[in-house]
Amino acid sequence: EAAVTQSPRSKVAVTGGKVTLSCHQTNNHDYMYWYRQDTGHGLRLIHYSYVADSTEKGDIPDGYKASRPSQENFSLILELASLSQTAVYFCASTGTGGTQNTLYFGAGTRLSVL
Amino acid sequence: TQTVSQSDAHVTVFEGDSVELRCNYSYGGSIYLSWYIQHHGRGLQFLLKYYSGNPVVQGVNGFEAEFSKSDSSFHLRKASVHWSDSAVYFCAVSGGYAQGLTFGLGTRVSVFP
């Protein structure tokens, strides 16, 4: 079964600190995505990647960096965490062919910035 | 630019009732339309999707959705809900998998016994 694993599941960070959220997929998918979920805003796309060593900006990339060192791994990096980045973050992957446009999501990382 | 509108923020139904969740979209080209379910504290799970062909698509657990180009809609239905269907339901659109999906704000469904 397709699997996307996120770590950590929850994180408390201090304002101005560095935070790295990790995502690992065993789906053999080329496409990976980072979304954030906030009450009242639904899910919004931060960064995505369609191949290792390459990332693209989504709709709300400011304050975030992404890294795709391999097909399986995709990280989201907050260099200087801010209060406004408190949210739940979801990683997702999708492939081509029959799974095209079907996103497989991880369980999410709840980030609280204090 | 693609947008998704889910008109109902919260729907309350009783077990065994039918339910319809509304989704309207705006997009200029060929699109994929899909529905996802999110149980409390969990990630989103795929329910069904439409790209072309029969406008009524069947999904998991008795869900179905109907595409209407004239109404720019993709409403989700279930004939008889179960308490386990209590969750938040998201409609999403995409012009292609490289772009990711654009999600609506979600509709929370509460099923009472």
Side-chain angles (χ1 to χ4, degrees), chain A residues 15-114:
Chain A
T15 303
K18 182 177 180 178
V19 177
T20 300
L21 307 183
S22 300
C23 179
H24 177 81
Q25 56 105 350
T26 59
N27 305 328
N28 198 32
H29 286 163
D30 288 326
Y31 295 83
M32 296 187 74
Y33 309 88
W34 276 107
Y35 286 89
R36 66 176 280 173
Q37 184 175 35
D38 303 90
T39 302
H41 286 281
L43 280 83
R44 293 179 289 174
L45 182 63
I46 306 170
H47 283 287
Y48 63 97
S49 168
Y50 52 84
V51 68
D53 295 322
S54 178
T55 63
E56 305 292 333
K57 294 180 180 179
D59 298 322
I60 55 163
D62 293 345
Y64 302 94
K65 291 183 179 180
S67 173
R68 182 92 182 269
S70 64
Q71 186 194 42
E72 298 81 14
N73 295 294
F74 191 36
S75 297
L76 186 68
I77 302 149
L78 290 66
E79 295 278 3
L80 296 171
S82 67
L83 294 174
S84 65
Q85 293 176 313
T86 293
V88 180
Y89 292 85
F90 288 100
C91 176
S93 72
T94 191
T96 56
T99 64
Q100 184 174 349
N101 269 281
T102 299
L103 263 58
Y104 295 87
F105 283 84
T109 295
R110 182 173 297 276
L111 176 65
S112 297
V113 182
L114 306 178

Side-chain angles (χ1 to χ4, degrees), chain B residues 68-106:
Chain B
S68 171
K69 186 174 182 178
S70 61
D71 293 338
S72 297
S73 68
F74 189 56
H75 301 330
L76 180 71
R77 300 189 293 252
K78 186 169 183 178
S80 177
V81 297
H82 185 262
W83 64 267
S84 60
D85 294 324
S86 294
V88 180
Y89 293 78
F90 291 95
C91 182
V93 301
S94 174
Y97 46 80
Q99 307 165 20
L101 303 184
T102 297
F103 289 88
L105 296 183

